[in-house]
Amino acid sequence: MQKQDIKTQYMLDDSQSADGGQRIDTMTINMGPQHPSTHGVLRLILTIEGETVVKAVPDIGFLHTGIEKTAEAKTYHQALVLTDRMDYLAPLCNNLGYSLAVEKLLGIEDEINDKIRYVRVMLAELQRLASHLVWLGTHALDLGAQSVFLYCFREREMILDVFEDLSGVRMMTSYICPGGLQAELTPTFEKKVRAFTSIFPDRLQEYHNLLTNNQLWIERTRGVSVLKAEDAIAYGTSGPVLRGSGVVWDTRKAFPYSGYEQFDFDIPVGTNGDVYDRYLVRMLEMEQSLRIVNQALEGIPPGPYRVQDPKIAPPPKWQITGRMEALIHHFKLYTEGYRPPKGEVFVRTESPKGELGFYIVSDGTAKPYRMHVRAPSFANLEALPRMIEGSLLSDVVAAIGSIDIVLGEVDR
């Protein structure tokens, strides 16, 4: 029986046979919620016939942190650190989306200068590279290629060194904040970024040499877990999952933000919507991110690293130690926060996983009345059953890796 026939046969009711009796030819098993191969504490309830998956039900909630509700009990400034913990492999991208939403609420978008925009774009693209390197290493490890994992983390360490140099923290930096950046660029920042950008093209070619034309890799990924373009759109997928199915859609191009319209880059797309296409799209995306980083590095204009309004951004330390007004502004900002006018905003950005949106409602107080996040990992995970039903059990691991989910974002 062909895969598609098996899938169609069990679309109606996978728990009963055609004549209404209990089926005896299938087995229901749990995959997860242990972390290996599920990229987080994800549980899949799989109904299988032999080695073929006839039904898949993702079961989430094992990591639920209530980040959105917790943010409503924090000031806007305090809630920033919560965003780092959603997609914890791309915290700076989360910071950027949240900061843009708060700035829109405050009505200070035009006060963000080009220096801040360029640095934000550069850091977001470095974060995209770091996230894709974790995806590539773990995805390859899932399918039996151990060396790639070690190589990817070798380059990711260089990116984390840049973040540590800027903020003192390697992952949950909270460096991009409403009103600008947390601190001025360090004297060694440019040197560290250039050290990475100079070696990365050769390292990226190493990954291609190991996998792209590797016959074993091709057999495990090509034609596996296909998601057609119409299904990818219907399920609300975005990012590399959507583009891997041949849909040309990138928020950085469709709704430019933070000055992305000033940068020259392409949108890689796939043709078949299989695991191999989603792999290749992300590999090509890393080339484009490198292009953007290099452009930003060459074009950073001078200027302050945050807005000059002391009621939104804290005054510089030299003012705090010498002027009573600056000390009062600092004290009130960190104890009371700022109060955006009443209103609601929605801001969408392109995170490494896909379209990341922040919806924030202000009631005029110092805390968000409502915050909701449109998380790409959550939406993309919904398409998993469509990918794997009718496929072999061994292909489930390949499909999960190709989606690149982070459960911190799914269970936020």
Side-chain angles (χ1 to χ4, degrees):
M1 182 178 291
Q2 297 297 315
K3 290 183 180 180
Q4 187 60 41
D5 295 335
I6 293 175
K7 183 175 181 179
T8 305
Q9 178 183 353
Y10 298 107
M11 286 286 282
L12 296 177
D13 189 346
D14 295 310
S15 63
Q16 295 182 340
S17 63
D19 60 1
Q22 188 67 33
R23 291 189 52 183
I24 59 174
D25 56 346
T26 62
M27 178 185 298
T28 300
I29 63 172
N30 286 306
M31 181 179 174
Q34 78 279 7
H35 196 292
S37 298
T38 57
H39 295 243
V41 281
L42 169 69
R43 177 192 180 210
L44 290 178
I45 307 170
L46 301 176
T47 302
I48 60 174
E49 180 187 20
E51 289 293 319
T52 302
V53 177
V54 295
K55 185 176 182 181
V57 179
D59 184 16
I60 63 174
F62 296 93
L63 192 67
H64 184 58
T65 51
I67 284 175
E68 294 164 327
K69 199 64 182 175
T70 303
E72 296 166 16
K74 305 289 184 184
T75 66
Y76 289 92
H77 189 76
Q78 293 169 338
L80 173 70
V81 301
L82 299 174
T83 64
D84 291 89
R85 275 88 184 161
M86 296 187 307
D87 179 0
Y88 44 77
L89 297 178
L92 281 165
C93 296
N94 303 335
N95 294 164
L96 178 56
Y98 175 77
S99 297
L100 291 172
V102 175
E103 288 163 1
K104 191 173 181 180
L105 265 181
L106 291 167
I108 62 170
E109 312 104 294
D110 295 336
E111 297 179 34
I112 305 299
N113 61 39
D114 281 343
K115 175 182 178 176
I116 295 171
R117 292 192 179 99
Y118 270 61
V119 174
R120 284 178 169 183
V121 166
M122 189 193 311
L123 294 176
E125 294 307 316
L126 285 171
Q127 188 72 87
R128 192 182 314 278
L129 285 165
S131 177
H132 280 2
L133 286 171
V134 174
W135 155 78
L136 178 60
T138 54
H139 186 34
L141 193 64
D142 287 344
L143 299 183
Q146 184 170 353
S147 299
V148 184
F149 178 84
L150 302 174
Y151 295 161
C152 289
F153 271 68
R154 175 187 61 188
E155 275 67 76
R156 179 174 177 260
E157 284 297 299
M158 296 185 69
I159 300 176
L160 297 189
D161 285 343
V162 173
F163 298 160
E164 184 177 22
D165 183 57
L166 279 179
S167 65
V169 184
R170 297 179 70 77
M171 288 185 67
M172 314 303 178
T173 65
S174 298
Y175 182 74
I176 297 174
C177 60
L181 308 169
Q182 292 285 12
E184 184 60 271
L185 299 178
T186 63
T188 55
F189 171 75
E190 183 177 340
K191 180 181 178 182
K192 286 181 176 292
V193 175
R194 290 190 185 279
F196 170 77
T197 58
S198 64
I199 65 101
F200 189 67
D202 290 339
R203 301 295 169 84
L204 186 57
Q205 186 58 48
E206 280 187 7
Y207 312 150
H208 278 294
N209 293 342
L210 286 166
L211 295 178
T212 303
N213 294 315
N214 185 311
Q215 192 59 38
L216 291 174
W217 181 258
I218 291 172
E219 289 180 8
R220 289 291 282 115
T221 57
R222 186 165 289 173
V224 172
S225 302
V226 174
L227 184 67
K228 296 180 181 178
E230 55 268 28
D231 291 331
I233 295 171
Y235 277 94
T237 65
S238 59
V241 175
L242 179 63
R243 293 190 286 273
S245 296
V247 181
V248 185
W249 181 263
D250 190 310
T251 308
R252 295 172 295 174
K253 291 280 192 180
F255 300 96
Y257 56 93
S258 195
Y260 267 106
E261 65 277 5
Q262 302 177 44
F263 295 89
D264 180 29
F265 63 98
D266 300 321
I267 305 175
V269 294
T271 53
N272 302 315
D274 55 14
V275 172
Y276 188 79
D277 272 7
R278 292 189 281 275
Y279 154 79
L280 209 53
V281 162
R282 290 189 182 92
M283 294 291 283
L284 297 175
E285 275 189 9
M286 287 196 275
E287 292 182 12
Q288 300 306 314
S289 291
L290 191 63
R291 283 179 63 188
I292 297 172
V293 170
N294 284 326
Q295 291 173 55
L297 200 58
E298 298 299 333
I300 297 180
Y305 64 91
R306 58 189 174 201
V307 297
Q308 301 302 296
D309 187 345
K311 294 183 179 180
I312 295 174
K317 191 170 183 179
W318 64 269
Q319 286 187 10
I320 296 172
T321 56
R323 295 175 55 188
M324 178 58 70
E325 294 86 354
L327 180 61
I328 292 172
H329 280 307
H330 182 276
F331 179 78
K332 289 180 70 66
L333 179 62
Y334 282 99
T335 56
E336 299 178 8
Y338 35 76
R339 291 173 168 78
K342 291 183 179 180
E344 59 183 355
V345 298
F346 178 74
V347 170
R348 61 182 74 189
T349 60
E350 186 74 23
S351 85
K353 311 296 186 294
E355 188 169 310
L356 173 66
F358 279 88
Y359 172 69
I360 303 179
V361 179
S362 169
D363 59 357
T365 66
K367 300 175 182 179
Y369 176 76
R370 180 73 178 96
M371 186 176 97
H372 176 66
V373 181
R374 192 277 182 198
S377 290
F378 180 81
N380 292 345
L381 182 61
E382 292 181 296
L384 181 63
R386 187 71 176 177
M387 293 180 185
I388 63 177
E389 288 176 354
S391 300
L392 296 175
L393 181 60
S394 59
D395 292 336
V396 175
V397 173
I400 295 173
S402 74
I403 300 176
D404 187 24
I405 55 172
V406 165
L407 265 295
E409 189 172 67
V410 173
D411 280 351
R412 73 207 174 283

